Amino acid sequence: FSPVLHDPAVLKNLGLRYLCDDIYTYSGQILIAVNPFKPLKSLYGPTMMRRYYDKFLGDASPHVYAIAEQAYKSMLIDRGPQSILISGESGAGKTETAKLVMQYLAMRHAAPPRQRASTSEGPDLSEAKGASPFTAGLVSSNARRRRNSNPVEQQVLQSNPLLEAFGNAKTVRNANSSRFGKYVDLKFNDMGQIETAHIETYLLERTRVVQLSSMERSYHIFYQLCKGASPEQREELYLQSHTVSDFAYLSCSEVLGIDGVDDADDFSVTQRAMSLIGISEGEQLEALKIVSAILHMGNILFSDALESDSAVMDGSLVKDGSEKHLKAAASLLGVQEDDLEQALTTRTIVAPDNTYRKGLSPSDAVKARDALSKTLYEKLFNWVVEVVNRNMHSDSATSHKLSIGILDIYGFESFKTNSFEQLCINLANEHLQQHFNFQVLRHEQEEYTKEGIDWKFIDFQDNQEVLDTIVGTGGKNKLSGIMPILDECCRLPRTTAADFCFSLKDKLGSNSSMMFHKKHPHCFEVRHYAGPVMYDTTHMIEKNKDYIVLEHTNLAKSSTSNFLQVLFLAGCEDVGDSKTKTTFKLRTVSSIFSKQLKELMSALCQTDPHYIRCIKPNYSCLRGNFVAGYVNEQLAYGGVMEAIRIARSGFPSRKHFCDFVYRYDILLDAKTREMCEDSDDKHVTELILRTLNLQRWQVGETKVFMKEGVVPILENKRNAILYDAVVCIQSHFRSHLVQRQVKEMREALVIIQSYWRRELAKKMFNDLKVARAATLIQSSWRMLPHRKRFVAHRRNQKAIIIQACVRSYFARKESDAAKLVLIRKARKASAINIQRYWRRHQAQKEFARIKEEAAYVRNLEDENRYLKEQISLARESISKSSEEDAATLEKMEGLKAEFAKRLASLEGKLLDATTQRDNLLTELQEMKRVQEEATSSAREKDQAMLALQDSGKDLQGRISKLEGTVDNLQSSLDNTTAENELLRDQVQTAQNDIKGRLEESESTCVNLKSENEQLRSEAKKFQKQILDLEERLQSDKATANGFKDQLEMMSPDKLGLDEVEESKIVQEVVHPLAFDKLSPEKQKDFLDLISMAMKNLQYINGTSVSAFWISLTLWDWAREWDAPEFQGALDTIPGQILSKFREYDSVHDRSHCWHVINTAIALSYLSRHKPPLKDFECAKTSELQLAVFATGIGVDNTILFRDLRQMMYNILNPARLVDTANKSSGLSRKRLDIPATVKAFLLDLQGIMSDIESAHMSNVLAKTFVLEMLNMTDMEILNQLLMRRECCSTSSARILDLTLRHIEKWALQSCSALSLKEVRWSLRRSIQACNFLLVHKTDIARAFKHGIPLTQLLEGKTDKLNLQQVYRLVAYHHDDWILGNRMNSDSYGLLHGLKREIAKNAGSNAHRMASPTPLSPNHAVTWRTGDDDTEAELLIDVVSASIDFESALREALVGATPEDPWDKFDQFPSFLRAKKMF
């Protein structure tokens, strides 16, 4: 500033700097910020932050970063709380300045400035023209990825756009005016890092929700929601066809948009801020429902009840055109339409003797509607602030002495019409101005006087009188202020604005700070520090009231939305209490605001303040327009002029003597410090300042006072001394490093010398070796002449040897003829011997063949004799059948009871007799041994058919016997025919060699052939009789059909589970034909039963309610329905249960799947026990049908449990364990970490176990399921090891071993019924394979190399694996830590030993073994697979290997069956105990 202290000089300086875009100016310790109304990119960002890093105030040009840096350094140096007070008029830029301060503090401690500049993006709040104010608080993506940042700072910054959306609005002076006060308290730890933060808000302008002036807008969130909501959100919030102009609360203003601001984009920014803050999507939707409900309530209009046709005699009603908005608001709030209408149009009056409900007039109903809207929005805003604070709260932070508070509160306001909100806002500014006066002016002078500093007093304007006028003086005269009088008028019934104004004139008419005008009888004027403001009292009483109405509270309690209940009922617990005898509780806004303001001022008084005065350069918010008069008024109102004079003539820096000496005694030399050891701190302080020849300071009683510029000089000198000390320490440390290096070099030199002496010795030794070699060479050279002479002598001897060889050749040639004769004789003798041996071999072979043929013929004769005996026995049995018929008729009644027991065994045979008639005609043609029986017993068969017509059951038994006999004879006949044909071929081929035996064989064959032809003729005759029987059987077909269908579906043989495809089995289980037998009404009852029962997921005593429900209904149907209909329902239930299981499995609804399993198991024992119902009796046949149904639905329900096993396998996917092991995730030579896939596998196991427990399965069944999951895991791991060579490495085996140990640990912890032995037995194959790869394989290979038998080595170590699997593991194993992808020589020897052992055990099939092709001991084994080699010999089919599981499950089901499942039937729910449920 200019040294000339008058207004023109100050304004000129500010104007010139403003035109140069230098908007910041210092006034002593106060920063003046002039709003440029345009983006200035060069003033902000990381580069500008580096300029102010660790700088004192005044070292760089004025900036908001400098104030933030001063507050931060003062906090660390003084170890005390700081505060930054940002004040100014509306539109002066207070909110943006507060953002800049928070961004600098967030970046200050994160990293050194150079590193931070390279790793993060600085905050830039003015990036482009028309940038939205809501995006200013969001950091860029690079900044969010900053590694060294604390999340708390980012959360503080991200809270800005959220709070601005809900708390900012456009006013006449500002497009983004904060309509609430905000105090952000940042808490730091001892290292200067932000640990937590807290935001406190003050006086939200509730009236703006329901009432707007023509040139203003409501809160931004309303416009953002209407313009930026997605189609799904608009449908859910009832905003499909609505725009901003369609809502009364928003259309009352002429301004629906802001130039340069896109509300739709801002809505996405707001939603993103809510997500980053920690608000879930469900809570976001609930909050937006409240906002939409407020908009719809604003469109609800009321009419007088007397003018309508309603039955209501007084009060008001919702107009017809507003019913859709009433319905939308009620749906969004989760209440009934009638309840919402009643809450808006009626009021409850509590009298001493009774409670009355009174209807409200349309105008009063509108007030009630607006009151509810304002209350909802205020509570929603408070909830948003609470969520932000909760998210920024740190549990580890208990108490913080270091903090920086940032106050961003509304500026002084004076409009054409000022009401209650302006009075509260200006009251807050009066308090802040008083605090400013106290800190900057009065406190300065009082401090100087207390310390005895030579000081000239300066008068300043004190606004305590204005504060007393507004809030009152207290004491006996309670009604001495505007606020107390207003509260008193609010408590009195039927008080009007005229009454309030009259009370003010009566009690404050003589106050000099107030004035009343006759032209405005309902107004009063207050003379504030910034100028006089006239307030209108028309709506002050209503705005000051903060009723919590009983109807609104009851409406919130009746809401189905938990969010609305928690939001609305917070702090309303005492409303509607019977002791208070009132329907509402009155709280005044002025009392609440005064309390908050008192707490704020108390907190500010405990901090060291730093001031930023924001200045608005012109009225119209234009760029480059500097209105000096307007700026001068703001400077005067803000006390800046007085602060300038105080700063120029005062002492802004002060410290206690002890603090000063502790920090600056380093400026004295060592001798002076020793002399001052016994001196007091005051004397040492004076000595330091005089030693440095500093001026402009004074010493008080407890502190030293310094003018501007003294502290930077002291700090610079202190930093210079510390720098010299650091340089000295560094030099000594470098000297120490050099000395240590010299010592190490000396030791290294000694070692080098010793090595050099060793090299000299080696060189000397080599010289000796060279000398010895030279001597050896000389001796060899002397030897050469003597050797040449010896070779010449030996060459002469070779001629003699050649002559001897020639002579021997001619001698041998003469003897070759004699040798040839001898050779021919020997060859002839050998040929004779060979022929003799070959003829003997052929004779032996022919003799053995003839012997076998003779034995075969004898066997044929024995079989023929046996067949004849069987035919005679059949004749006798048929002859006796007539006698048995009479006895059968007598025992018919007794056999009826036995028929039920034998029905299951006879049903399959009766089904074959009816369904295979066409096949039977062909088979009867080949029956040869029953002709005599058919001719002799024709008469008896006629009698038998008559008896069959009388009793269908007896006829079915006889037919089954006859058909069994026919089948046996037919099979014997086929075997005989085939054997005869084979014998005939063999006899014809051997007739030349064995004629005698051939005649005997031919005679036997002729006899057999004649007998066979005779049997064929007899079969043809019997066929005609069978056709007659078939015609008679057609007459009884209708009677037998009912039993045939039942037997066909209940026959276990019919299912053929081991041979028939599963799709065919499912089709037979579903039984559409059985279901079609039911009448339409009964089909509907059946489908309703299955649908309703399966939706009930409750359990009683570990049994599903669905099972009780179905069982009770079946027992009821057993008593009422016919047997065929009841059997049709029973046959359809298994298919329905299976389809339900597969339906839930297809959508991965595991809880429902396990519920279906519990239901099927429970039905198996509930159907066997009759429920304890009174007067309950059913037929024995129905009980038998239920018993058969219980067996099929429970123990024998193989398809359902196979699907269950497949579901568990699909969830677990054990193959991923080996994939994880193959990747060697988390592997090192010192430790093993459990891979993430294994953790996911254990979580899946735990999820299945949780589903089993939630389905209330018994411990026995849970144990069976856990063991089966472990067994599937074991088989899959072994298969993967045998199929994939990369999985058989040492590292993979180690990870698999760790995985298996974690699985064992989980199994023992999750299922208490399991033992370690059972768990390891289920994982036996994979455990043994891992142990073999890690430990036993190397030991066995080495031991086998030393001659120990292989069977002895493998005993007890691979007993769970076969030799082929061990062979594959050895061939695939490779130690990737030592040998890489290679195999050592010991492994090759072990492979060959295993191959020989397999060939010994397999015999001729040894050629099917794949062989390793060793390239070299350092290469891996290459596996070659033959054409006929299959993986089936090695692998285990995990999916189809379910026999053990089914048998174990049957045992578990038998063990888990309770003795009496209906023992607590009297405690069941009433709908289950009812006799009929449909």
Side-chain angles (χ1 to χ4, degrees), residues 874-882 930-945 962 1022 1025 1029:
R875 292 172 185 171
E876 293 175 1
S877 63
I878 295 175
S879 62
K880 294 177 182 179
S881 62
S882 61
V930 294
Q931 182 178 8
E932 296 177 1
E933 178 185 4
T935 55
S936 62
S937 61
R939 187 181 306 165
E940 297 172 358
K941 282 298 178 178
D942 294 335
Q943 297 175 357
M945 289 304 297
L962 181 60
F1022 187 76
Q1025 297 177 1
L1029 292 176

Side-chain angles (χ1 to χ4, degrees), residues 767-781:
D767 292 342
L768 294 175
K769 287 175 65 177
V770 170
R772 183 179 178 183
T775 304
L776 182 62
I777 292 172
Q778 291 174 1
S779 63
S780 299
W781 178 256

Side-chain angles (χ1 to χ4, degrees), residues 536-633:
D536 189 358
T537 62
T538 303
H539 301 289
M540 275 194 177
I541 296 178
E542 289 78 5
K543 293 180 179 181
N544 190 38
K545 292 180 181 180
D546 188 14
Y547 288 120
I548 301 178
V549 184
L550 178 61
E551 285 76 10
H552 297 172
T553 305
N554 294 335
L555 181 67
K557 289 181 180 179
S558 65
S559 174
T560 58
S561 173
N562 295 331
F563 180 82
L564 179 62
Q565 292 183 3
V566 175
L567 181 72
F568 195 91
L569 300 179
C572 302
E573 292 79 2
D574 54 346
V575 177
D577 190 2
S578 59
K579 297 181 180 180
T580 59
K581 298 297 182 181
T582 181
T583 61
F584 55 84
K585 179 182 177 181
L586 176 63
R587 299 182 303 174
T588 60
V589 178
S590 61
S591 61
I592 298 174
F593 181 68
S594 298
K595 181 180 178 182
Q596 292 178 344
L597 201 57
K598 183 178 180 182
E599 294 175 355
L600 173 64
M601 300 312 299
S602 176
L604 291 178
C605 291
Q606 297 176 3
T607 62
D608 292 338
H610 305 269
Y611 294 97
I612 300 177
R613 294 299 191 193
C614 297
I615 302 299
K616 189 176 181 180
N618 55 75
Y619 297 95
S620 304
C621 302
L622 300 177
R623 301 180 182 180
N625 186 9
F626 187 85
V627 181
Y630 186 44
V631 174
N632 187 34
E633 290 178 1

